[in-house]
Amino acid sequence: MDKETIRDIIEWDITNWWRAIGYLDKNVPANEKSTQCLELGAARGGLSLWLALRGNSVLCTDLKNPEPIAGEIHCKYECGINISYAALDATDIPFKNQFDIIVFKSILGGISQNNRNEYKAKTLNEIYGALKPGGMLLFTENLAATNLHRFLRRKYGTPGWNYLDINEVEELFSAFKTIKYTTTGFFGCFGRTEKQRILLGHLDGLLEFIIPKRKRYILSGIATK
């Protein structure tokens, strides 16, 4: 996939987050049949684009209807015919047993910000209900990672964000039939510019094998209902 498309899908810290998406990519059905997908917290609709380029039908959603911005990006790739748009609250999903695939990227920390930890479980319970039996949740999420990551985020980033702790994963996803995940990235989020993040992301790719999985800052997972 070319660099411009990857930027439109990932938007920020593209080297490490694209590596995380690669883990999910192996589990996304191609367009052999009609696959109904939902993106939550879409913003610019990056994951909707990723799914639509594979021939899936996608409902692209955020708290406010993302079509004004996301629709323009999707039209650039001539995949708008596969995407519809709506305003939707991830903690109150009005669909039951409807989607083959639900995706999100970095929303749990924002939904549960200011230590409203119960909203993580509420969001995942709503997702579980909206999936068809056998449906999959494909997600990437920021992890709390190390004390250094926490300190720098408080100082320069999003101090109210409630980052997911790796120790929460098994309990939060306990309703799902299966959950498998990996982690990636250590240095990338320390970059102050995207150029720096890209360079540090390449460093992560070289050194990741020596960095313990629990100390990385991106969680990439597949949960099956």
Side-chain angles (χ1 to χ4, degrees):
M1 192 172 287
D2 65 84
K3 291 181 179 180
E4 182 178 0
T5 306
I6 291 172
R7 281 196 300 270
D8 283 336
I9 292 171
I10 302 299
E11 302 175 36
W12 186 89
D13 190 7
I14 61 174
T15 304
N16 275 322
W17 286 92
W18 186 242
R19 192 176 294 123
I21 294 297
Y23 179 77
L24 306 181
D25 199 47
K26 301 172 186 177
N27 294 274
V28 181
N31 57 348
E32 298 172 359
K33 61 179 182 178
S34 177
T35 303
Q36 300 300 313
C37 306
L38 168 67
E39 182 182 7
L40 300 169
R44 294 167 57 88
L47 294 185
S48 292
L49 173 61
W50 172 62
L51 289 167
L53 288 173
R54 297 180 63 106
N56 299 292
S57 298
V58 189
L59 177 59
C60 177
T61 72
D62 207 335
L63 274 175
K64 294 183 178 180
N65 191 316
E67 184 172 11
I69 295 175
E72 185 175 340
I73 294 170
H74 298 155
C75 284
K76 182 170 75 172
Y77 294 90
E78 299 182 347
C79 63
I81 192 172
N82 291 331
I83 304 174
S84 55
Y85 305 88
L88 190 148
D89 182 348
T91 67
D92 187 18
I93 301 174
F95 303 105
K96 299 301 175 187
N97 302 311
Q98 184 155 335
F99 295 100
D100 301 292
I101 294 173
I102 295 178
V103 297
F104 68 74
K105 175 179 177 285
S106 189
I107 67 169
L108 294 179
I111 288 172
S112 64
Q113 62 185 316
N114 299 318
N115 295 315
R116 298 182 302 172
N117 219 45
E118 67 276 11
Y119 280 85
K120 293 177 183 174
K122 182 172 177 55
T123 300
L124 291 169
N125 287 338
E126 290 291 306
I127 290 171
Y128 183 89
L131 283 168
K132 295 176 181 177
M136 294 188 298
L137 167 62
L138 308 176
F139 66 95
T140 58
E141 183 67 29
N142 278 289
L143 286 170
T146 66
N147 288 334
L148 177 60
H149 288 88
R150 294 183 180 96
F151 170 77
L152 292 175
R153 283 161 166 166
R154 286 195 300 267
K155 188 173 180 63
Y156 299 109
T158 50
W161 204 267
N162 187 15
Y163 289 95
L164 184 67
D165 192 291
I166 193 71
N167 295 319
E168 297 179 276
V169 173
E170 295 296 334
E171 182 177 354
L172 282 172
F173 290 87
S174 59
F176 289 84
K177 184 178 180 180
T178 61
I179 171 70
K180 57 182 180 178
Y181 57 89
T182 189
T183 59
T184 193
F186 184 88
F187 298 104
C189 70
F190 298 148
R192 300 301 301 276
T193 67
E194 186 58 22
K195 184 177 181 179
Q196 291 174 359
R197 289 187 285 268
I198 289 171
L199 290 172
L200 291 171
H202 288 306
L203 180 63
D204 279 326
L206 293 171
L207 299 180
E208 196 165 77
F209 72 98
I210 66 172
I211 297 172
K213 291 182 177 181
R214 301 176 67 85
K215 294 183 181 295
R216 302 171 189 169
Y217 70 91
I218 300 172
L219 177 73
S220 183
I222 303 114
T224 303
K225 180 174 178 178

